[in-house]
Amino acid sequence: MKKRMNIGLIGHKFMGKAHSHAYRDVAMFFDSGVVPVMKVLCGVGDDLASTAERYGWARFEESWEKVVSDPDIDIIDICTPDNYHKEIAIAAAKHGKHVLCEKPLALTLQEAREMQAAVERAGVVNMVNFTYRGVPAIRLAKNLIDEGRLGSLYHFNAFYQQDFSLSEDFPFVWRMDKEAAGAGTMADKGAHVIDLARYLAGEFHEVACRAATFIKERTDPGTGAKRSVTTNDAAVFLSTFQSGAIGLFEVSNMSAGRKNALVLEISGSRGALRFDLERMNELSVYFADDPEEVQGFRTLLVTQPSHPYISHWWPTGHVLGWENTFVHQIHEFLLAISEGRKASPDFFEGVKCQEVVDAIARADAERRWIAVAKG
Amino acid sequence: MKKRMNIGLIGHKFMGKAHSHAYRDVAMFFDSGVVPVMKVLCGVGDDLASTAERYGWARFEESWEKVVSDPDIDIIDICTPDNYHKEIAIAAAKHGKHVLCEKPLALTLQEAREMQAAVERAGVVNMVNFTYRGVPAIRLAKNLIDEGRLGSLYHFNAFYQQDFSLSEDFPFVWRMDKEAAGAGTMADKGAHVIDLARYLAGEFHEVACRAATFIKERTDPGTGAKRSVTTNDAAVFLSTFQSGAIGLFEVSNMSAGRKNALVLEISGSRGALRFDLERMNELSVYFADDPEEVQGFRTLLVTQPSHPYISHWWPTGHVLGWENTFVHQIHEFLLAISEGRKASPDFFEGVKCQEVVDAIARADAERRWIAVAKG
Amino acid sequence: MKKRMNIGLIGHKFMGKAHSHAYRDVAMFFDSGVVPVMKVLCGVGDDLASTAERYGWARFEESWEKVVSDPDIDIIDICTPDNYHKEIAIAAAKHGKHVLCEKPLALTLQEAREMQAAVERAGVVNMVNFTYRGVPAIRLAKNLIDEGRLGSLYHFNAFYQQDFSLSEDFPFVWRMDKEAAGAGTMADKGAHVIDLARYLAGEFHEVACRAATFIKERTDPGTGAKRSVTTNDAAVFLSTFQSGAIGLFEVSNMSAGRKNALVLEISGSRGALRFDLERMNELSVYFADDPEEVQGFRTLLVTQPSHPYISHWWPTGHVLGWENTFVHQIHEFLLAISEGRKASPDFFEGVKCQEVVDAIARADAERRWIAVAKG
Amino acid sequence: MKKRMNIGLIGHKFMGKAHSHAYRDVAMFFDSGVVPVMKVLCGVGDDLASTAERYGWARFEESWEKVVSDPDIDIIDICTPDNYHKEIAIAAAKHGKHVLCEKPLALTLQEAREMQAAVERAGVVNMVNFTYRGVPAIRLAKNLIDEGRLGSLYHFNAFYQQDFSLSEDFPFVWRMDKEAAGAGTMADKGAHVIDLARYLAGEFHEVACRAATFIKERTDPGTGAKRSVTTNDAAVFLSTFQSGAIGLFEVSNMSAGRKNALVLEISGSRGALRFDLERMNELSVYFADDPEEVQGFRTLLVTQPSHPYISHWWPTGHVLGWENTFVHQIHEFLLAISEGRKASPDFFEGVKCQEVVDAIARADAERRWIAVAKG
């Protein structure tokens, strides 16, 4: 008999929708030993009731405090704006709930460490949702690297490029206000590429960075007045890794033509690979020990039964979408609960990521190389 | 108040899974005015009960006759092997159920016509699920063609290539038996490319065809003995269209390296486009009236809000998967019911497709050009 | 001491330019044992003298009869319009000259056979310049097929697509006049894809074809009047091969967006490959016996020292251009002369190609499958 | 009457071969008003005589001093190892010869400035051969940027990646010795990407850099003993530009699978473009003002008559090779001589490039951001 566990999801916007969908789907495709029950959707706004119904939640609730303290709830899933993460996660942990939190874990390293301490003290299963670890092609990349197919890593390049705010007519939004959004896209997109770098290439050593705000004033849609943009909309940074590899990073909301291009280019002494989220079902791999005559990047369609997660879905060649990565991550979370062990990536991983985000922000502010704290 | 309609799904294997998933998801993302209620899953096999539960069906049933005659059921969805389509669809129509049927509509043109007659007589909404019409990139292609962006069509090339039976060790399966499977991949994959050709380029005029069975004997996994393969595993055919365009087609289960490559290459007097299902979120388009200096195929990532279906899902750049095409088709079906009008593609379209399948089978058998019956 | 041989080149337009360039370059990069001496350029037009000087020919001459009978000349290279090929080649052979002739060898099969008879009777080295055999990637493809890396061939698809006459404003040119140009693009581009098919997949068995003339009238730039286009501007055809493979072909001058796309897609029991002349330095190959996890089309950059011809040029990664294929073919021709053996492809190969061109023309005209004469 | 000018080429290895070929070809395709006469090839080694003959030089000479002082010679072309550039160029200028010098102009900024002073003092036409400015696609990119099609530039990313020394078995060569080769690949490949950055995005402001030597010892093929590698084999660097754009650079000889990948990714407020030298006949461009529905990167085949240099070569769709870029550069050089004006890029441009090379070397050595000297 599978265990049923009740979910309280805080946040009903973009991430709330993605998580809701994943809870609907996960038990159909994966068996973690835990069946998630969509109990309560928590949010603020006139559309909360209708959204909860449409997404399949049994009820809705405006007070997150009530949800985290509700004895009926087993799991708290945090999809709020970043500045609520800490308070909710710590309260949830105190009430003994398992906690899944969207990335980035917190606005600052200090906050992230407090959150980590709280969940560890409470002994609850905790996870920060770096959802791209759930892309089958990225997990395959991880396997290939771990098997030594790329040899010692030399280069780790990652680019997370979108162009949503390219137009000068794009309005001022809360992410452009330093008070509300912290370190800007450097932290927001940065957290994704840094987590993937840590996942695939190991710990950072030093970083140098330059952030930019290409459009310095935008129109506030509320007031119609111009407002100063106080966060960055792009950043480039270099890194060294503890392994000796060197890294090259760009994050940008101003990269014309890129809609959701999270590109990884990783190479080492025996091979290389390339990934682009816009073609997330593919992985390009190169093996230096192939005979010279037939050496070349192989374009793998990562939909074979032997590829990560694929056997749960459809036959060979039937591609997955972005939303499926959430199903994978939530499955991993439920599986950890079911097996009574740590989830991965947990809050500790979130803290490690935040350490690097912190370092690049300092590197930019102080215009010098900054050493990342050793773990 | 939305209308709730009860679904009876016949078939719980590959297509049954895809349709089940679509019913789970559709009301979360689309509002057709009808909320589908997953009432009963019908199938045969020990895994039926557990499958029904896992997929979210309220109950299960082994007799399709009971399901189609159940007054509680409003919609019959047919995902059985092809040789059951006719009987079930006709019975469902007689009981006044709306009918969604997987493709190909029937094993023969005669059967397809009987099915069409039955649903039209009964006045029920009917649809044959050519699921690739639900790919946003293909619907965008249709829009561009209808807007005249390609001008008069000259070339329509379509290739549906897989390699699942490439290995000599791949076993004998029912699809390789002419008695059970009819015209082989010529009909199975053929139906897909023919429907897309009709959808995008209009009616066929004449066809020539050559089918092949590259591996003529395979091992029956039940008996361990060799059996003769009596269906084709690949076919190529030419066509002319009523519009004057000329067509080139390949369908194959023996195309090494192709996992689910449904490639369309369409060109006309003003432009061209290219689509590949393995990269289903992309469409390549070329406009001959671009200035020469900057003329080239544009790789569109079909995830913009203005692209078909996309605004219902995720922000720009967040790609969809194969399974989402079923959500789109089922939404179209429910919408037709809700609005009291014909669905598209309906059984009539299925019949038209079958006429072409019939013609290519005859063209191969008689080794000559065959005119397709005019509609 | 290398032998010097004197070249007489007939034709100073497009192909004359390409051949002239190849003669300038060949001895710098390749050592055939024969050094070609650019003696005389033969052509008609006011620009002949200046062209001869610019291209590096010692002298020029308007009468081809004088050139082919000139005792000083060792090799006749024919780059004239197709309708002169026969007469010049036969005359050259009679005078004991080695003969290199542009493709297609002749306007008709009968002519081609007369030409073959003449050169064989005269015992001169002869070659028809199917220049794409000189593309390193295509020669690599040939090697891989010969080594069995693709296994038994199942599918051979070839498309030769351009769009130069897409516009209705494109003028009437001599190629659109059946009297002057014979079978149209079906023969012109057809000869290229048919030769490559024979080179890579062996002899044809049967063909079916449909040609089209999409724009039926064009303006004669001389008279300003409309003229009827009497040749085809596109054709599609099917084939079977003696090996059992099936073939799919398109040739078109009306394929929007394709500038010089000669695409080959070949697959067999053990692998597949893809080539596109627009990316002529690349070859995509797939091996079915790669481990499933890392199976995929490999994009080879065909610039490795071990690849055909490459070691004569530049280091790895420095790509070649279209013009280099002529250098390769002329090197092969000179090498055959130097070694006193047959060149390849010789006029016999040209005849074999013409047999298939003939068959597709008949297949189109008679609207039925036509068997290609067995060699 | 065209002016004939006599060339003395110093260096008969890789670059000497490329330049020799360009001199053979240039007057056939381009009319600069100057016809280059291949007078003397200068080099050291047993193969000099045979090479000179094979490449088409009238004579050969071992002493570069004799060549630069030869009154018969009009133009000195320097293709020697980098450490000879300065001495030869200055001597050539003193003798009043026009000077074409391979890149990088010199080993150090100081040397480069001396060379610039010498040619300016002598009033001779001078050029440093950044050959990639001669790629039609790059020149088209320049035109598009100059026309404002990309708007204000935000991102300039350039990667020059090869893998020739990836293997541990690759021997110790002179480029790995700091004494002989200066700043390693950081300077060698760096000069290429820096010149292209200046050409396309304008002057640098500040840089940060990290170089690496991944394989620290290699076997000297002469002695068979291990030697320490004292130059870098890879480097990554960041930049800001005076325009406000930010830059990201990688140069590497250790990038598995990259044979000659010089990739540019440039984006601005109105568009973006991408170039890869491995596909040097293509340019990808994106225009943000295309209608949303049909926005996407366009893959231009840069072989249209309206594209730079193309009308001199072959019809549409017939691609060029790497060697042709030298023809273009030498044409530009001869044209400048013919027209009695400065060539571009001249030694001044070489100095400007060297300033940035110097800055990245210091930035790496001092582990801090370095401001590039303002011009």
Side-chain angles (χ1 to χ4, degrees):
Chain A
M1 187 64 191
K2 284 175 204 166
K3 199 171 172 181
R4 298 171 68 85
M5 297 193 81
N6 294 337
I7 313 294
L9 175 66
I10 325 277
H12 77 305
K13 299 297 185 186
F14 177 25
M15 280 300 118
K17 186 179 178 185
H19 286 233
S20 294
H21 174 259
Y23 288 116
R24 281 172 86 101
D25 272 16
V26 65
M28 175 170 170
F29 295 95
F30 292 87
D31 181 359
S32 64
V34 167
V35 175
V37 181
M38 296 171 74
K39 272 287 161 170
V40 58
L41 179 66
C42 177
V44 179
D46 291 346
D47 62 339
L48 179 61
S50 63
T51 300
E53 189 196 354
R54 195 147 46 86
Y55 290 3
W57 294 93
R59 57 189 180 86
F60 63 92
E61 172 58 64
E62 293 201 335
S63 156
W64 66 259
E65 291 87 347
K66 285 189 190 164
V67 176
V68 299
S69 60
D70 183 340
D72 192 36
I73 296 297
D74 303 298
I75 292 170
I76 294 294
D77 184 334
I78 306 172
C79 289
T80 63
D82 305 349
N83 50 339
Y84 288 90
H85 286 188
K86 175 187 145 187
E87 198 177 2
I88 298 173
I90 291 175
K94 278 187 185 151
H95 286 93
K97 317 298 189 196
H98 304 302
V99 186
L100 175 61
C101 184
E102 257 306 315
K103 56 66 55 183
L105 188 53
L107 286 182
T108 68
L109 179 53
Q110 178 54 32
E111 280 188 15
R113 285 181 175 149
E114 290 175 42
M115 291 166 75
Q116 181 198 345
V119 292
E120 292 185 352
R121 202 178 310 121
V124 295
V125 177
N126 55 93
M127 189 177 190
V128 56
N129 183 39
F130 289 114
T131 195
Y132 296 130
R133 294 198 186 197
V135 175
I138 287 179
R139 201 158 281 250
L140 174 60
K142 169 72 169 162
N143 294 347
L144 293 171
I145 291 170
D146 286 354
E147 289 163 11
R149 299 297 301 270
L150 267 55
S152 305
L153 296 193
Y154 294 152
H155 291 286
F156 185 93
N157 298 355
F159 313 100
Y160 198 167
Q161 301 159 325
Q162 297 181 339
D163 67 359
F164 68 84
S165 62
L166 183 69
S167 166
E168 297 196 6
D169 299 334
F170 190 86
F172 188 95
V173 295
W174 70 270
R175 286 189 177 283
M176 296 168 181
D177 176 13
K178 196 171 189 166
E179 301 296 309
T185 199
M186 177 200 286
D188 182 44
K189 287 196 167 55
H192 275 303
V193 292
I194 288 165
D195 180 65
L196 289 173
R198 291 187 59 257
Y199 181 55
L200 296 169
E203 297 299 342
F204 282 71
H205 179 224
E206 292 184 315
V207 292
C209 178
R210 190 57 53 99
T213 306
F214 292 119
I215 296 183
K216 294 180 172 48
E217 275 197 331
R218 295 187 186 261
T219 302
D220 187 318
T223 67
K226 289 278 181 189
R227 283 186 65 175
S228 288
V229 175
T230 53
T231 57
N232 51 74
D233 50 20
V236 288
F237 55 104
L238 301 182
S239 74
T240 52
F241 288 87
Q242 293 183 12
S243 68
I246 51 180
L248 197 64
F249 297 84
E250 178 193 323
V251 292
S252 181
N253 301 332
M254 302 288 285
S255 180
R258 308 297 174 181
K259 302 310 175 187
N260 203 20
L262 199 176
V263 175
L264 305 176
E265 297 195 322
I266 311 173
S267 70
S269 58
R270 294 185 55 212
L273 59 83
R274 187 178 197 281
F275 170 81
D276 182 348
L277 185 63
E278 290 183 357
R279 289 180 174 167
M280 61 169 264
N281 291 277
E282 297 180 15
L283 186 71
S284 289
V285 297
Y286 176 90
F287 298 123
D289 46 13
D290 277 336
E292 182 187 288
E293 201 181 44
V294 291
Q295 262 179 345
F297 276 87
R298 305 177 186 192
T299 304
L300 314 181
L301 192 62
V302 187
T303 59
Q304 294 296 103
S306 61
H307 290 145
Y309 298 118
I310 297 299
S311 61
H312 294 265
W313 296 100
W314 315 106
T316 299
H318 294 74
V319 301
L320 299 184
W322 170 82
E323 67 203 35
N324 303 73
T325 64
F326 289 82
V327 177
H328 300 160
Q329 290 303 95
I330 280 173
H331 168 63
E332 297 290 349
F333 180 60
L334 298 177
L335 201 60
I337 293 172
S338 169
E339 297 177 354
R341 57 162 174 80
K342 283 191 179 185
S344 173
D346 64 5
F347 280 19
F348 171 73
E349 301 281 331
V351 166
K352 295 301 294 176
C353 179
Q354 198 67 37
E355 287 174 358
V356 186
V357 171
D358 239 50
I360 60 171
R362 284 184 54 208
D364 176 51
E366 304 177 14
R367 309 223 153 190
R368 63 183 186 90
W369 285 86
I370 296 289
V372 177
K374 289 218 181 176
Chain B
M1 187 66 189
K2 285 176 203 167
K3 197 170 174 184
R4 297 171 69 85
M5 297 193 83
N6 293 337
I7 314 294
L9 176 66
I10 326 276
H12 76 306
K13 299 297 184 186
F14 177 26
M15 281 300 118
K17 185 178 178 185
H19 286 233
S20 294
H21 173 260
Y23 287 116
R24 282 172 86 103
D25 272 15
V26 65
M28 175 171 169
F29 296 95
F30 292 86
D31 181 359
S32 64
V34 167
V35 175
V37 181
M38 297 172 72
K39 272 285 160 170
V40 57
L41 179 66
C42 177
V44 180
D46 291 347
D47 63 338
L48 179 62
S50 63
T51 300
E53 189 195 353
R54 196 146 47 83
Y55 290 4
W57 293 93
R59 56 189 182 86
F60 63 92
E61 171 58 62
E62 293 201 337
S63 154
W64 67 259
E65 291 88 347
K66 284 190 191 164
V67 176
V68 299
S69 60
D70 183 342
D72 193 36
I73 296 296
D74 303 299
I75 291 170
I76 294 294
D77 183 335
I78 306 172
C79 289
T80 63
D82 305 349
N83 51 339
Y84 288 90
H85 286 187
K86 177 188 144 187
E87 198 176 4
I88 298 173
I90 291 174
K94 277 186 187 152
H95 286 94
K97 318 298 188 194
H98 303 303
V99 186
L100 175 61
C101 184
E102 257 306 315
K103 55 64 55 184
L105 187 54
L107 287 182
T108 67
L109 179 54
Q110 178 53 33
E111 280 188 15
R113 287 182 174 149
E114 291 175 41
M115 292 165 76
Q116 181 198 346
V119 292
E120 292 185 352
R121 203 177 309 121
V124 296
V125 177
N126 56 93
M127 190 178 189
V128 55
N129 183 39
F130 289 114
T131 196
Y132 297 130
R133 294 200 187 195
V135 175
I138 287 180
R139 201 158 281 249
L140 174 60
K142 170 71 169 164
N143 293 347
L144 292 171
I145 292 170
D146 286 353
E147 290 162 10
R149 300 297 301 268
L150 267 55
S152 305
L153 296 192
Y154 294 151
H155 291 286
F156 186 93
N157 297 355
F159 313 101
Y160 199 166
Q161 300 160 324
Q162 298 181 339
D163 67 359
F164 69 83
S165 62
L166 183 70
S167 166
E168 297 195 6
D169 298 335
F170 189 85
F172 188 95
V173 294
W174 70 270
R175 286 188 178 283
M176 295 167 182
D177 176 14
K178 196 172 188 165
E179 302 294 310
T185 198
M186 178 201 286
D188 182 44
K189 286 195 168 55
H192 275 304
V193 292
I194 288 165
D195 179 65
L196 289 172
R198 292 187 59 258
Y199 181 54
L200 297 168
E203 298 300 341
F204 282 71
H205 179 224
E206 291 185 313
V207 293
C209 178
R210 190 58 53 98
T213 306
F214 291 119
I215 296 183
K216 295 181 171 45
E217 275 198 330
R218 295 188 185 260
T219 303
D220 187 319
T223 65
K226 288 278 183 191
R227 283 187 62 174
S228 289
V229 175
T230 52
T231 57
N232 51 75
D233 50 21
V236 288
F237 56 104
L238 302 181
S239 74
T240 52
F241 289 87
Q242 292 183 12
S243 68
I246 51 180
L248 198 63
F249 297 84
E250 178 193 322
V251 292
S252 180
N253 301 330
M254 302 289 284
S255 180
R258 307 298 173 180
K259 302 310 175 188
N260 203 21
L262 197 177
V263 175
L264 304 176
E265 296 194 324
I266 310 172
S267 70
S269 58
R270 294 186 56 211
L273 58 83
R274 187 178 197 279
F275 170 81
D276 182 348
L277 186 63
E278 290 184 356
R279 288 180 174 168
M280 61 169 265
N281 291 278
E282 297 180 15
L283 185 71
S284 290
V285 296
Y286 176 89
F287 298 122
D289 46 14
D290 278 337
E292 182 188 288
E293 200 181 45
V294 291
Q295 262 179 344
F297 276 87
R298 305 176 186 192
T299 304
L300 314 181
L301 192 62
V302 188
T303 59
Q304 295 296 103
S306 61
H307 290 146
Y309 299 117
I310 297 299
S311 61
H312 295 265
W313 295 99
W314 315 106
T316 298
H318 294 73
V319 301
L320 299 185
W322 170 82
E323 67 205 35
N324 304 72
T325 63
F326 288 83
V327 178
H328 300 160
Q329 291 302 94
I330 280 173
H331 168 62
E332 296 289 350
F333 181 60
L334 298 176
L335 200 60
I337 292 172
S338 169
E339 297 178 352
R341 58 162 174 79
K342 284 190 179 186
S344 172
D346 64 5
F347 281 20
F348 171 74
E349 301 280 332
V351 165
K352 295 302 293 176
C353 179
Q354 198 68 36
E355 286 174 358
V356 186
V357 170
D358 239 50
I360 60 172
R362 285 184 53 207
D364 176 52
E366 302 177 16
R367 309 223 154 191
R368 62 182 185 91
W369 285 86
I370 296 289
V372 177
K374 289 217 180 175
Chain C
M1 186 65 190
K2 284 174 204 167
K3 198 170 175 184
R4 297 171 69 85
M5 297 193 83
N6 294 337
I7 314 292
L9 175 66
I10 326 275
H12 76 307
K13 299 297 184 186
F14 177 26
M15 279 300 117
K17 185 179 179 185
H19 285 234
S20 295
H21 174 259
Y23 288 116
R24 282 172 87 102
D25 272 16
V26 66
M28 174 171 171
F29 296 96
F30 292 86
D31 181 359
S32 63
V34 167
V35 175
V37 181
M38 296 171 73
K39 272 286 161 171
V40 58
L41 178 67
C42 177
V44 179
D46 292 344
D47 62 338
L48 180 61
S50 62
T51 300
E53 190 196 352
R54 196 145 48 84
Y55 291 3
W57 294 93
R59 57 189 180 86
F60 63 92
E61 173 56 66
E62 293 202 336
S63 154
W64 66 259
E65 290 87 348
K66 285 190 190 164
V67 177
V68 299
S69 60
D70 184 342
D72 192 35
I73 295 296
D74 303 298
I75 291 169
I76 294 294
D77 184 334
I78 306 171
C79 290
T80 62
D82 305 349
N83 50 338
Y84 288 89
H85 286 188
K86 177 187 145 188
E87 199 177 0
I88 298 173
I90 291 174
K94 279 186 184 151
H95 286 94
K97 317 299 188 195
H98 304 301
V99 187
L100 175 61
C101 184
E102 258 306 315
K103 55 66 55 182
L105 188 53
L107 287 182
T108 67
L109 179 53
Q110 179 54 33
E111 282 188 14
R113 286 184 174 146
E114 290 175 42
M115 293 166 73
Q116 181 197 347
V119 293
E120 292 186 351
R121 203 178 310 121
V124 295
V125 177
N126 56 93
M127 188 176 190
V128 56
N129 184 38
F130 290 114
T131 197
Y132 297 129
R133 293 199 187 197
V135 175
I138 287 178
R139 201 158 281 251
L140 174 59
K142 170 71 170 164
N143 293 347
L144 293 171
I145 292 169
D146 286 354
E147 290 162 11
R149 299 297 302 270
L150 267 55
S152 306
L153 296 194
Y154 293 151
H155 290 287
F156 185 92
N157 298 355
F159 313 100
Y160 199 167
Q161 300 160 326
Q162 298 182 339
D163 66 0
F164 69 83
S165 61
L166 183 69
S167 166
E168 297 195 6
D169 298 334
F170 190 85
F172 188 95
V173 295
W174 70 270
R175 287 188 178 284
M176 295 167 183
D177 176 14
K178 197 170 189 167
E179 301 296 308
T185 200
M186 178 201 285
D188 183 45
K189 288 196 167 55
H192 275 303
V193 292
I194 288 165
D195 179 66
L196 289 173
R198 289 187 59 257
Y199 181 54
L200 297 168
E203 298 299 343
F204 282 72
H205 179 224
E206 291 184 315
V207 292
C209 178
R210 189 59 52 99
T213 305
F214 291 119
I215 295 183
K216 294 180 172 45
E217 276 197 330
R218 294 188 187 260
T219 302
D220 188 317
T223 65
K226 290 278 182 188
R227 283 187 64 175
S228 287
V229 176
T230 53
T231 57
N232 52 74
D233 50 21
V236 288
F237 56 102
L238 300 182
S239 74
T240 53
F241 289 87
Q242 292 183 13
S243 68
I246 51 180
L248 197 63
F249 298 84
E250 178 192 322
V251 292
S252 181
N253 301 331
M254 301 289 286
S255 179
R258 307 297 174 181
K259 302 309 175 188
N260 203 19
L262 199 176
V263 175
L264 305 176
E265 296 194 324
I266 310 172
S267 69
S269 59
R270 293 186 56 212
L273 59 82
R274 187 177 195 281
F275 170 80
D276 182 348
L277 185 63
E278 290 184 356
R279 289 180 173 167
M280 62 167 265
N281 291 278
E282 298 181 14
L283 186 71
S284 290
V285 297
Y286 175 91
F287 298 123
D289 46 14
D290 278 336
E292 181 187 290
E293 200 180 46
V294 290
Q295 261 178 346
F297 276 88
R298 305 176 187 194
T299 304
L300 313 182
L301 192 62
V302 187
T303 59
Q304 296 295 104
S306 61
H307 290 146
Y309 299 117
I310 297 299
S311 61
H312 295 265
W313 295 100
W314 315 106
T316 299
H318 295 73
V319 301
L320 299 185
W322 170 82
E323 67 204 35
N324 303 73
T325 63
F326 288 83
V327 178
H328 301 160
Q329 290 303 95
I330 279 173
H331 169 62
E332 297 289 349
F333 181 59
L334 298 176
L335 200 61
I337 293 172
S338 169
E339 298 178 354
R341 58 162 173 79
K342 282 190 181 185
S344 172
D346 63 6
F347 281 18
F348 172 73
E349 301 281 333
V351 167
K352 295 302 293 178
C353 178
Q354 199 67 38
E355 287 175 358
V356 186
V357 170
D358 240 50
I360 60 170
R362 284 184 53 208
D364 175 51
E366 303 176 16
R367 309 222 152 192
R368 61 182 185 91
W369 285 86
I370 296 289
V372 177
K374 287 217 181 178
Chain D
M1 186 69 190
K2 285 175 204 168
K3 199 170 174 183
R4 298 171 69 84
M5 298 193 81
N6 294 336
I7 314 292
L9 175 67
I10 327 277
H12 76 306
K13 299 297 184 187
F14 177 25
M15 280 300 117
K17 185 179 180 186
H19 286 234
S20 294
H21 174 260
Y23 288 116
R24 283 171 84 102
D25 272 15
V26 65
M28 175 171 171
F29 296 96
F30 292 87
D31 181 359
S32 64
V34 168
V35 175
V37 181
M38 296 173 71
K39 273 285 160 170
V40 57
L41 179 66
C42 178
V44 180
D46 292 345
D47 62 340
L48 179 62
S50 63
T51 299
E53 190 197 352
R54 196 146 47 83
Y55 290 3
W57 293 93
R59 57 189 181 86
F60 63 92
E61 173 56 65
E62 292 201 336
S63 155
W64 66 260
E65 291 88 347
K66 285 190 190 164
V67 176
V68 299
S69 60
D70 184 342
D72 193 35
I73 295 296
D74 303 299
I75 292 169
I76 294 294
D77 183 335
I78 306 171
C79 289
T80 62
D82 305 348
N83 50 340
Y84 288 90
H85 286 188
K86 177 188 144 189
E87 200 176 2
I88 298 173
I90 291 174
K94 278 185 185 153
H95 285 93
K97 316 298 189 197
H98 304 302
V99 187
L100 175 61
C101 184
E102 257 306 315
K103 55 68 50 184
L105 189 52
L107 287 181
T108 67
L109 179 54
Q110 179 54 32
E111 281 188 14
R113 286 182 174 149
E114 290 175 42
M115 294 165 75
Q116 181 197 345
V119 293
E120 292 185 352
R121 202 177 310 121
V124 296
V125 177
N126 57 93
M127 189 178 189
V128 55
N129 184 38
F130 289 114
T131 197
Y132 297 130
R133 293 199 187 197
V135 175
I138 286 178
R139 202 158 281 250
L140 174 60
K142 170 70 169 164
N143 293 348
L144 293 171
I145 292 170
D146 286 353
E147 289 163 11
R149 300 296 303 268
L150 267 56
S152 306
L153 296 193
Y154 294 151
H155 290 286
F156 186 92
N157 298 354
F159 313 100
Y160 199 167
Q161 300 161 325
Q162 297 182 337
D163 66 0
F164 68 84
S165 62
L166 183 69
S167 166
E168 297 195 7
D169 299 335
F170 189 86
F172 188 94
V173 295
W174 71 270
R175 287 188 178 283
M176 295 167 182
D177 176 12
K178 195 172 190 165
E179 302 295 310
T185 198
M186 178 200 286
D188 183 44
K189 286 196 168 55
H192 275 304
V193 292
I194 288 165
D195 179 65
L196 289 172
R198 290 187 60 258
Y199 181 55
L200 297 168
E203 298 299 342
F204 283 71
H205 179 224
E206 292 185 313
V207 292
C209 178
R210 190 58 54 97
T213 305
F214 291 119
I215 296 183
K216 296 182 171 44
E217 276 197 331
R218 294 189 186 259
T219 303
D220 187 318
T223 65
K226 287 280 182 189
R227 282 186 64 176
S228 287
V229 175
T230 52
T231 57
N232 51 74
D233 50 20
V236 288
F237 56 104
L238 301 182
S239 75
T240 53
F241 289 87
Q242 292 182 13
S243 68
I246 50 180
L248 197 64
F249 297 83
E250 178 192 323
V251 292
S252 180
N253 301 331
M254 302 288 284
S255 179
R258 306 297 174 180
K259 302 310 174 186
N260 203 21
L262 199 176
V263 175
L264 305 175
E265 296 193 324
I266 310 173
S267 69
S269 59
R270 293 186 56 211
L273 59 81
R274 186 177 197 281
F275 170 80
D276 181 349
L277 187 62
E278 290 184 357
R279 288 180 174 167
M280 62 168 263
N281 292 278
E282 297 180 14
L283 185 71
S284 289
V285 298
Y286 176 89
F287 299 123
D289 46 13
D290 278 336
E292 182 187 289
E293 200 180 44
V294 291
Q295 263 179 343
F297 276 87
R298 304 177 187 193
T299 304
L300 313 182
L301 192 62
V302 187
T303 59
Q304 296 296 103
S306 61
H307 289 145
Y309 300 117
I310 297 299
S311 61
H312 295 265
W313 295 100
W314 315 107
T316 299
H318 295 74
V319 301
L320 299 185
W322 169 82
E323 67 205 35
N324 303 73
T325 64
F326 288 82
V327 178
H328 300 160
Q329 291 303 94
I330 280 173
H331 169 62
E332 296 289 350
F333 181 59
L334 299 176
L335 200 61
I337 292 172
S338 169
E339 298 178 353
R341 58 163 174 80
K342 284 190 179 187
S344 172
D346 63 6
F347 281 18
F348 171 74
E349 301 281 332
V351 166
K352 296 301 293 176
C353 178
Q354 199 66 37
E355 286 174 359
V356 186
V357 171
D358 240 51
I360 60 171
R362 284 184 54 207
D364 177 50
E366 304 177 15
R367 309 223 154 190
R368 61 183 185 89
W369 285 85
I370 297 288
V372 177
K374 287 217 180 176

